[in-house]
Amino acid sequence: MFSLIIPIFNEEKIIDELVSRIVTAIESFTTDYEVIFVDDGSIDRSLLKILQHREKNRKLKVLSLSKNFGHQAAYTAGLEHAKGDILAMMDGDLQDPPELLIEMYRKITSEDFDIISAKKSARKGRPARNFYAGLFHCIFRNIGELKDIANYGNYSMMNRVAADALLSMKEKVRYLPGLRSFVGFRHGDVEFVRDERFSGKSKMSLRKLFSLASDAIFSFSRFPIRLCLILGTVGTIVFLVAGIYVLIAKATGIAIPGWASILLSIYFLGSIQLVFLGIIGEYIYRNYKESQNRPVYFVRKFYGDNTEK
């Protein structure tokens, strides 16, 4: 069986087109499938519209969460409820073209890959948003411990073994493209140009994108904490030299001009300490979230198979 997981959050304007395109794409390579829409706390008519399509096609299933838990949690919920031997994840805004599933399925079934990721070769849409996304991938490629996920997102396909390995990691702060790369296995990709949204506004605000980028960097890079060590070491050397200079200046009678340099030094050191505290605080917060051991999501209702649970 083939399983496709699609998170949905307030996408009522897209549902009809989304369902039409994914069913057409999937049925071109298999008739044994399920599509799990994860309703991530939508407050519009998204759930109702999907259920209307489900009346016509029982292979469309809906996992309704109790509230909006976020993109990564919604994907996790869908993966944990999927029954397929091959599973795919795709965003529900139609920026990820459903037609690409055909090539991804061919590749994973005929070329002995365990995971196929959709790699963005270019992006349509707002230049500013594309710039931020490109900047993140550039930074992550240079400071992250995973070097092979540049321009990869959530859009991917994997076999059951790889999916089970992914689900075995119970982190609460999750960045699925990173976890997908971390598990290893034979990994391939298919390039595509990411489309603009079919309709409506993006539900991923810049604040949410920044939060996701922070999760990726703090989860898969030692650079932030190493930066503290580097800056601390450089600062110690600089001010040790400055201290020696002051002692020599006093001993030789050279006048030290005003208090400006002293105040600037104090402010500089204070700012560096605040940055260090912020970085360390991010790590402490993430450890705290893990220690709470709260579930990543709660299910309100699952509309699946021939019974509604």
Side-chain angles (χ1 to χ4, degrees):
M1 176 185 282
F2 173 74
S3 298
L4 174 63
I5 295 96
I6 304 178
I8 295 294
F9 180 61
N10 295 340
E11 299 286 11
E12 63 175 343
K13 296 179 180 179
I14 295 178
I15 297 299
D16 293 340
E17 179 72 11
L18 176 64
V19 170
S20 173
R21 287 177 62 181
I22 60 174
V23 169
T24 300
I26 293 173
E27 291 187 348
S28 70
F29 58 81
T30 183
T31 56
D32 185 17
Y33 69 92
E34 62 176 1
V35 179
I36 301 179
F37 293 94
V38 184
D39 178 35
D40 193 19
S42 298
I43 57 175
D44 64 358
R45 298 176 63 251
S46 295
L47 176 60
L48 178 61
K49 295 195 74 171
I50 298 171
L51 291 177
Q52 289 174 346
H53 283 283
R54 175 171 162 73
E55 290 299 317
K56 304 172 186 175
N57 184 350
R58 304 298 281 185
K59 295 178 181 179
L60 306 181
K61 305 175 183 181
V62 186
L63 186 63
S64 180
L65 304 186
S66 62
K67 68 168 191 174
N68 179 250
F69 286 95
H71 211 215
Q72 305 298 291
Y75 271 126
T76 302
L79 288 170
E80 290 183 343
H81 283 77
K83 297 179 178 179
D85 301 310
I86 296 177
L87 305 87
M89 301 188 296
M90 189 187 86
D91 288 349
D93 54 11
L94 286 177
Q95 288 185 280
D96 295 337
E99 294 75 19
L100 198 66
L101 290 168
I102 301 169
E103 175 61 16
M104 294 168 74
Y105 187 84
R106 184 201 65 77
K107 206 162 187 176
I108 202 170
T109 54
S110 65
E111 298 186 24
D112 195 32
F113 287 110
D114 301 300
I115 300 173
I116 298 293
S117 294
K119 185 175 183 178
K120 307 175 191 73
S121 58
R123 299 169 184 268
K124 299 179 182 179
R126 290 186 294 172
R129 195 178 189 88
N130 293 340
F131 170 77
Y132 293 134
L135 180 63
F136 161 71
H137 284 291
C138 179
I139 293 172
F140 191 76
R141 181 172 61 250
N142 287 283
I143 69 173
E145 296 175 4
L146 304 174
K147 302 298 184 182
D148 57 346
I149 63 171
N151 292 313
Y152 289 164
N154 296 300
Y155 199 11
S156 59
M157 191 177 292
M158 66 196 81
N159 60 27
R160 172 52 66 180
V161 175
D164 287 343
L166 179 65
L167 291 173
S168 70
M169 292 180 284
K170 301 300 182 182
E171 299 166 47
K172 310 304 177 186
V173 180
R174 307 174 70 81
Y175 178 62
L176 290 175
L179 294 176
R180 195 174 67 233
S181 177
F182 178 80
V183 298
F185 297 98
R186 287 181 53 82
H187 202 130
D189 60 50
V190 175
E191 291 193 355
F192 76 108
V193 176
R194 196 157 205 253
D195 291 330
E196 297 183 64
R197 283 183 60 85
F198 179 77
S199 180
K201 295 181 179 180
S202 173
K203 306 307 183 294
M204 287 291 286
S205 64
L206 288 179
R207 181 183 63 82
K208 290 182 178 179
L209 288 173
F210 180 78
S211 177
L212 184 62
S214 298
D215 289 341
I217 291 171
F218 282 100
S219 296
F220 293 99
S221 174
R222 289 174 291 179
F223 179 78
I225 202 70
R226 189 170 287 172
L227 179 64
C228 293
L229 176 61
I230 293 171
L231 290 179
T233 303
V234 171
T236 300
I237 294 172
V238 168
F239 287 100
L240 178 61
V241 173
I244 293 172
Y245 168 77
V246 169
L247 291 175
I248 295 174
K250 280 184 174 293
T252 57
I254 300 174
I256 301 175
W259 296 95
S261 59
I262 297 175
L263 290 175
L264 285 174
S265 299
I266 292 172
Y267 289 144
F268 175 75
L269 286 174
S271 299
I272 289 295
Q273 288 173 342
L274 289 175
V275 170
F276 289 1
L277 287 173
I279 291 173
I280 294 170
E282 286 288 337
Y283 283 107
I284 293 173
Y285 169 73
R286 281 163 171 75
N287 283 329
Y288 174 64
K289 291 288 287 184
E290 298 297 331
S291 68
Q292 286 179 309
N293 200 31
R294 293 174 181 170
V296 177
Y297 63 90
F298 290 102
V299 176
R300 178 175 173 268
K301 191 170 184 179
F302 181 45
Y303 304 85
D305 297 326
N306 294 319
T307 58
E308 315 295 42
K309 297 195 288 185

